[in-house]
Amino acid sequence: MFRTITSSFLLAIFAGAVYAHGNVVPSAVDVEGLPPLEEWGEENPYRDAEGETREKIIETGQRGYGQNCVNCHGLEAVSGGIAPDLRMLEPGFDDQYFITMVREGGKGMPSFEEMMEPESVWAIKTWLETKYEDAMAEKYGN
Ligand code: HEC
C-alpha cells in the first residue's frame, strides 16, 4: 500500500517535471496476453500476428494510444495539426523511424523509452496500421 502511494507520487512529480508544458502524464500499458519482446527491434514484430493474438494486440494498441499519445496526435490518430498524423507512416518502410521517434522523442515529442515497454509501443503501431490505407485514400484519393 505504502509502496503504491510512494511510486505514484514520484511518478506524478517526474511527469510534472518532464511535461511542465503539456497535460501529458505517461502511463503504463497493461500488455498481458501479448507475445513478449526481448528488445525494441527496428521492425514491427506483431505485423503478421493472426487471430485472437492479433485482436489482443490491436485492442492493446488502441488503449495504449489513448493513454499516451492521443493528447497530441489526435482522436483515432487523426491529427488536429499539433503533431504529425501517425496513420500515414508506411508499414515496414517507416518502422525504424517510428520506433526511433518514440524512444528518443523530437521537437515537442517526449521520449518514451523509460516509460513504455516495446510490447505496448509495437501494439500501438499495429493499431495505427489498421488505419493506414483509409488514411492514404482520404488524402490522395483511390
Ligand atoms: C506532448 C505531445 C506528444 C505526445 C504525448 C506524443 N507525441 Fe509523438 N510527436 C509530437 C510532436 C510535436 C511530433 C513532431 C516532432 C518532430 O517533428 O520533431 C511528434 C512526432 C511523432 C512521430 C514522428 C511522426 C512523423 O510523421 O514524423 C512519431 C512516430 C510519434 N510522434 C509517435 C508517438 C507515439 C506512438 C506517442 C504515444 C506513445 C506519441 N508520439 C506521443 C508530440 C507528441
Side-chain angles (χ1 to χ4, degrees):
M1 181 64 179
F2 180 68
R3 277 185 62 138
T4 316
I5 292 173
T6 309
S7 55
S8 30
F9 181 63
L10 289 175
L11 180 65
I13 292 179
F14 179 63
V18 176
Y19 300 107
H21 300 291
N23 53 351
V24 181
V25 179
S27 53
V29 180
D30 178 4
V31 296
E32 200 178 321
L34 265 54
L37 302 175
E38 300 287 322
E39 50 184 33
W40 287 97
E42 298 189 335
E43 202 180 322
N44 184 354
Y46 292 152
R47 181 165 299 128
D48 299 328
E50 292 174 356
E52 274 179 34
T53 307
R54 179 171 170 81
E55 281 169 34
K56 181 79 196 163
I57 290 165
I58 290 173
E59 182 256 318
T60 303
Q62 180 164 21
R63 184 158 35 81
Y65 179 89
Q67 285 176 232
N68 292 295
C69 324
V70 70
N71 287 359
C72 299
H73 288 281
L75 270 183
E76 290 293 312
V78 180
S79 171
I82 309 174
D85 195 311
L86 301 181
R87 299 172 305 160
M88 302 293 190
L89 295 171
E90 186 177 331
F93 183 77
D94 287 322
D95 284 14
Q96 193 183 355
Y97 173 62
F98 169 86
I99 203 68
T100 305
M101 281 302 289
V102 175
R103 292 175 67 182
E104 297 175 7
K107 286 201 198 84
M109 161 84 185
S111 155
F112 285 92
E113 171 120 40
E114 306 297 329
M115 293 177 272
M116 292 184 80
E117 296 170 284
E119 287 85 348
S120 54
V121 174
W122 286 119
I124 290 172
K125 182 71 170 74
T126 310
W127 174 68
L128 290 168
E129 289 175 8
T130 65
K131 299 170 170 296
Y132 173 72
E133 287 189 1
D134 282 353
M136 293 302 277
E138 205 178 279
K139 185 160 185 196
Y140 301 110
N142 280 309

